[in-house]
Amino acid sequence: MSESATNSKEDSVGRDSADGGDTVVADDSHQPVESRRAFDTNRWVGATAVAFLPVGVAILFGRRPGLLLAAVVGIAYVAYARSGEAPVPDLRVERELSDDTPDGDDEVRVTVTVTNTGESTLPDLRLVDGVPPALAVVDGSPRHGAALRPGKRASFGYTVTAVRGEHEWEPMQAITRNASGSRERVSAVDAATTMRCLPRLDSAADIPLRGLTTQYTGRIATNVGGSGLEFHSTREYKHGDPLNRVDWKRLARSGELATLEFREERAATVVALVDARQEAYLAGDQGEENAVERGVDAASQVVSSLLDSGDRVGIAALSAEECWLAPGVGNDHRARARQLLATHPALAATPGDGKFFPSIRLRRLLRRLPTDAQVVLFSPLADDYPVSVARRLDATGHLVTVVSPDPTGEETTGHRLATAERRNRASRLRQAGIRVVDWGDEPLATTLTTATRRWSA
């Protein structure tokens, strides 16, 4: 296969049939075929010189039938190699997914069928499917080679691992060659296919919130007296106070009417802020989840837990793309949060190429944050910018907790230096009174439980 037909995915043995299960077919009988370029393959480089060599020898040494015959044969080969352009393909692509809405880490079988709908034979057809960059091929190959007569079809299949997000297949690359292989044409065949993987919003991670609360009833104990569970104080009885809050023991003892006050428990307003800049797409080893993916997974768990507790929750991102979901509650808000965490381009599994403006993004975030909101920042602390964001938010009255997935390693001197720098950033935040959760390889719920014990000690 020529260099133009290479693909970044790992190649392995192709398959011709799909596994069982429900299928989703992307089929367009009038698919556009975009012919991008045609060029020489240089397969017959030197053949012309070799073919005319007997002619030159015959001229130098006289007319010899054997040399002339060899020259004629060589010239015939050159004419064959140079004759004919690479055919323009007329193809129909059908792409089937075993599941177009899988859960994270599910394996999805992709079956591709290509039909030659044109009137010309394609003697050398090479196909490279446009697998979305965030999906890893774990079985089979997205490449296939075939020779197709008019009306004939070829099928191949491969398996990908589902990851959070909305993934669209890119146009299939079709490389056609003429019979001699001397000319090659690269074309693109589109067949719209989308796979959507939504996070489950499991509430396994219960993050301890701080004292900044709203007027809504919730789970956070305050220093405000009222209706609650924990005793706070007593005050003089007022007409209309409920009888179940009258201090009957004091009345029996002294004859004075008094009303019991309990420590109120109120809801919090929380914004989950994900650091999704290009600098945050880091992973300890190749093949591991990057820090942005881990941050979105942690945000999904925390958002679900907070919504279950009756807190008002919003979502934002430090990213080139605008990303904002105002704090809210209820099932409809939960569905919007789940959709945003799964499909918003700011939280994609792979970094985008947009321009990020640090000061503009922070100013917009500060304008949008409710005055009573606290922030949970999910960031690997890969540079100083998230440190400045956390300190700026804290300085403007928004209590901040940082959950930091650790993408560093100890294998090389560079890794160890990055680890030390990250620890220094976390230390600076703690010295400023900002809570930092250093999240390593263990489950997030375990890390948060350990951090809670340390904070309450």
Side-chain angles (χ1 to χ4, degrees), residues 83-414:
S83 64
E85 289 291 331
V88 178
D90 189 357
L91 303 172
R92 182 176 72 247
V93 174
E94 300 168 287
R95 187 182 291 113
E96 300 179 1
L97 305 183
S98 59
D99 187 358
D100 68 335
T101 56
D103 293 328
D105 296 327
D106 284 356
E107 292 190 351
V108 178
R109 183 68 180 174
V110 183
T111 303
V112 182
T113 302
V114 179
T115 305
N116 182 2
T117 57
E119 298 179 355
S120 301
T121 297
L122 304 177
D124 188 347
L125 174 63
R126 308 181 185 202
L127 305 168
V128 182
D129 204 13
V131 183
L135 301 182
V137 177
V138 296
D139 186 30
S141 174
R143 303 178 180 89
H144 189 71
L148 290 182
R149 297 192 300 273
K152 298 299 181 179
R153 63 178 59 188
S155 296
F156 62 98
Y158 54 93
T159 302
V160 297
T161 301
V163 297
R164 175 197 56 81
E166 188 172 74
H167 310 282
E168 294 185 359
W169 263 252
E170 298 173 357
M172 174 179 288
Q173 190 178 59
I175 300 106
T176 55
R177 288 182 173 184
N178 59 4
S180 66
S182 63
R183 297 287 292 172
E184 182 175 277
R185 184 183 304 275
V186 180
S187 307
V189 188
D190 196 12
T193 306
T194 302
M195 183 174 72
R196 181 173 298 162
C197 179
L198 301 180
R200 295 187 181 93
L201 286 191
D202 295 328
S203 56
D206 187 9
I207 191 166
L209 297 179
R210 306 176 73 175
L212 196 62
T213 58
T214 69
Q215 72 272 26
Y216 302 101
T217 301
R219 65 185 174 101
I220 301 177
T222 69
N223 292 322
V224 179
S227 59
L229 299 176
E230 181 184 352
F231 174 76
H232 179 264
S233 62
T234 60
R235 62 169 173 81
E236 183 181 351
Y237 176 82
K238 294 180 181 179
H239 181 71
D241 284 347
L243 293 178
N244 62 352
R245 288 175 55 193
V246 171
D247 190 351
W248 296 107
K249 292 182 179 180
R250 182 172 180 177
L251 177 63
R253 185 172 61 251
S254 63
E256 297 178 359
L257 275 174
T259 300
L260 297 171
E261 292 281 353
F262 297 91
R263 195 180 303 276
E264 288 190 347
E265 293 181 342
R266 294 184 179 177
T269 297
V270 184
V271 172
L273 177 61
V274 180
D275 183 0
R277 301 168 299 128
Q278 287 190 358
E279 293 81 355
Y281 283 88
L282 301 173
D285 292 312
Q286 188 174 6
E288 290 184 355
E289 279 189 324
N290 60 58
V292 175
E293 272 291 277
R294 296 186 67 196
V296 174
D297 177 63
S300 301
Q301 297 181 51
V302 169
V303 166
S304 180
S305 177
L306 294 172
L307 290 174
D308 288 344
S309 302
D311 297 304
R312 301 171 62 81
V313 187
I315 300 172
L318 299 172
S319 173
E321 296 279 348
E322 286 278 355
C323 179
W324 172 255
L325 177 65
V329 294
N331 291 332
D332 290 344
H333 187 73
R334 183 188 296 270
R336 287 191 292 270
R338 186 182 185 213
Q339 182 76 12
L340 182 145
L341 289 168
T343 63
H344 199 287
L347 305 176
T350 54
D353 54 3
K355 181 72 173 176
F356 178 71
F357 299 97
S359 57
I360 294 176
R361 188 65 68 234
L362 181 55
R363 285 199 300 269
R364 290 181 181 176
L365 175 64
L366 288 170
R367 285 199 300 266
R368 286 169 165 170
L369 283 175
T371 56
D372 59 351
Q374 55 184 288
V375 176
V376 182
L377 172 60
F378 302 89
S379 171
L381 300 179
D383 57 9
D384 289 335
Y385 178 69
V387 176
S388 64
V389 169
R391 300 192 65 168
R392 177 73 179 277
L393 292 170
D394 184 73
T396 53
H398 300 285
L399 299 177
V400 179
T401 301
V402 178
V403 177
S404 181
D406 184 3
T408 60
E410 299 289 339
E411 290 79 9
T412 66
T413 302

